[in-house]
Amino acid sequence: MLSFGIVDDDAVSRLMLHKIIEKGGLGEVVGTAGSGSEGEKVLLETSPDVVVIDLLMPDQDGIETIIRLKEQGFQGKYVMISQIENKEMIGKAYQAGVEYYIQKPINKIEVEAVLSKVNEQWKISRSLKEIQDSLTKLSLLNLSPESARKKRSVREIVQPILMDMGIVGESGSRDVTDIIEHLAKQHRGDGIPPLKELYETAARSHKLQESDVEKEGKAVEQRIRRAVMAALAHIASIGLTDYSNPKFEHYAPLYFEFQDVRLKMKEIDENLKSEKSKINIKKFLQVLYLEVTDKMRSEH
């Protein structure tokens, strides 16, 4: 279970967050503070996994507190809350290391949704670290030159890319990975087969009866569509707060159509009802396939 620290100069906000976290089963609150300087001391003593911190506080603001904590070696994740809508300030918060930003007044559903995502990412990060630690131990046991030069698998290359786009926890990401693994093994050339064929390839990886493949292929299509839509929203959010963010600069023009990114940014910025945006799934898969094969060649 995740441990949380709460830093906010508003006692009512601290109490609300405390109740949402513990009554919602999101984790355990191990420390609270009413100011940035007090929060710095409490967080260093309690070492929570996640810090929910207010941006504006009278003695030491949230950004300054995060910077000071990092300088002292604190390794937790940060979720910032504030009434401020200034994009420049929000951009500075992300640059300081904030993972998510929650707008005040506090909304129970939004807080639960954001902290659930943090919880999910923490579990994935922990699993990846355990895998990495295991691989490190194995490499120490086998010090031959061939083992030292062993290439990463397709899955090991794909996962960080999907993580960058904020969708590694989406169910469609497994289907995407299955498709890229298939293409890397069986396909040659820059183009890719028709999408229906790829969806059914992913369906077959579930070891279904052939009569069920077409139906599951349609389910794969829907899962992948949702994952790509989530990636578009994640990248657009990054671009809104920091247009020069390296992730936005890399993924937005490569994986998506420019007009789709601009439309999604407008929807988020103006808090518009999300329309059924057009997305180019074939482009997304083709670019991912090319990026993975390029990385595999460079590691050869």
Side-chain angles (χ1 to χ4, degrees):
M1 182 181 283
L2 278 179
S3 57
F4 287 84
I6 302 169
V7 183
D8 194 317
D9 61 330
D10 178 25
V12 175
S13 293
R14 291 199 304 274
L15 182 61
M16 283 180 68
L17 289 165
H18 197 138
K19 284 183 176 178
I20 291 169
I21 290 167
E22 296 206 333
K23 287 194 174 180
L26 297 166
E28 177 190 9
V29 176
V30 295
T32 63
S35 70
S37 54
E38 182 194 357
E40 187 182 329
K41 184 169 179 283
V42 169
L43 296 171
L44 289 170
E45 286 174 356
T46 56
S47 295
D49 300 308
V50 181
V51 176
V52 183
I53 186 166
D54 192 15
L55 175 55
L56 295 182
M57 291 180 284
D59 68 325
Q60 181 174 292
D61 69 33
I63 294 173
E64 186 183 348
T65 304
I66 290 171
I67 292 169
R68 288 175 64 87
L69 284 165
K70 286 191 164 187
E71 286 172 351
Q72 295 173 82
F74 182 76
Q75 298 292 316
K77 293 183 179 295
Y78 301 95
V79 176
M80 186 152 280
I81 52 171
S82 181
Q83 291 177 323
I84 294 292
E85 294 183 16
N86 183 293
K87 288 180 192 171
E88 189 178 336
M89 285 290 286
I90 296 172
K92 285 181 180 177
Y94 279 111
Q95 287 169 7
V98 169
E99 303 268 338
Y100 289 96
Y101 189 90
I102 297 173
Q103 191 74 40
K104 281 187 173 181
I106 291 168
N107 178 296
K108 178 175 180 285
I109 294 171
E110 184 184 6
V111 172
E112 286 181 341
V114 169
L115 296 187
S116 293
K117 283 185 179 179
V118 173
N119 202 325
E120 187 177 293
Q121 286 188 351
W122 180 78
K123 287 176 183 174
I124 292 165
S125 297
R126 187 175 64 174
S127 297
L128 288 173
K129 188 177 184 306
E130 287 172 358
I131 292 167
Q132 191 175 33
D133 290 345
S134 298
L135 290 171
T136 302
K137 287 174 185 175
L138 285 171
S139 67
L140 290 173
L141 293 172
N142 186 353
L143 300 176
S144 70
E146 285 134 25
S147 68
R149 287 196 302 269
K150 186 178 177 184
K151 293 187 296 179
R152 287 185 296 166
S153 69
V154 170
R155 193 168 292 269
E156 287 166 341
I157 295 171
V158 169
Q159 291 299 299
I161 296 173
L162 299 183
M163 190 173 285
D164 277 351
M165 287 194 272
I167 59 167
V168 76
E170 292 280 334
S171 57
S173 293
R174 177 188 167 187
D175 300 305
V176 168
T177 305
D178 288 342
I179 286 171
I180 301 302
E181 280 187 323
H182 168 78
L183 290 172
K185 288 176 186 172
Q186 307 292 338
H187 187 64
R188 294 294 175 267
D190 292 340
I192 61 173
L195 287 176
K196 185 174 185 291
E197 185 180 320
L198 293 176
Y199 297 147
E200 292 184 356
T201 294
R204 286 189 181 90
S205 70
H206 303 160
K207 297 185 169 53
L208 302 170
Q209 296 288 335
E210 192 61 30
S211 57
D212 296 326
V213 165
E214 186 175 355
K215 182 181 176 184
E216 178 61 17
K218 290 176 181 175
V220 168
E221 178 181 6
Q222 292 306 312
R223 290 196 296 266
I224 291 178
R225 180 171 294 279
R226 284 194 296 270
V228 176
M229 286 293 296
L232 173 62
H234 182 76
I235 295 301
S237 297
I238 292 174
L240 268 178
T241 54
D242 181 9
Y243 206 76
S244 61
N245 185 293
K247 288 182 185 177
F248 180 78
E249 288 184 336
H250 177 74
Y251 293 108
L254 258 185
Y255 282 79
F256 306 99
E257 303 293 350
F258 179 73
Q259 63 268 25
D260 294 339
V261 177
R262 292 298 303 161
L263 177 62
K264 183 55 70 175
M265 288 172 75
K266 186 171 186 284
E267 282 179 5
I268 296 168
D269 189 37
E270 298 178 10
N271 200 24
L272 300 174
K273 185 178 178 182
S274 183
E275 297 178 13
K276 196 168 184 181
S277 308
K278 290 181 181 178
I279 46 170
N280 191 334
I281 295 176
K282 188 156 190 176
K283 176 180 179 178
F284 184 93
L285 292 174
Q286 184 162 330
V287 172
L288 180 57
Y289 166 60
L290 290 174
E291 188 163 12
V292 169
T293 52
D294 185 58
K295 287 180 186 293
M296 291 179 77
R297 278 196 294 266
S298 66
E299 293 177 8
H300 189 67

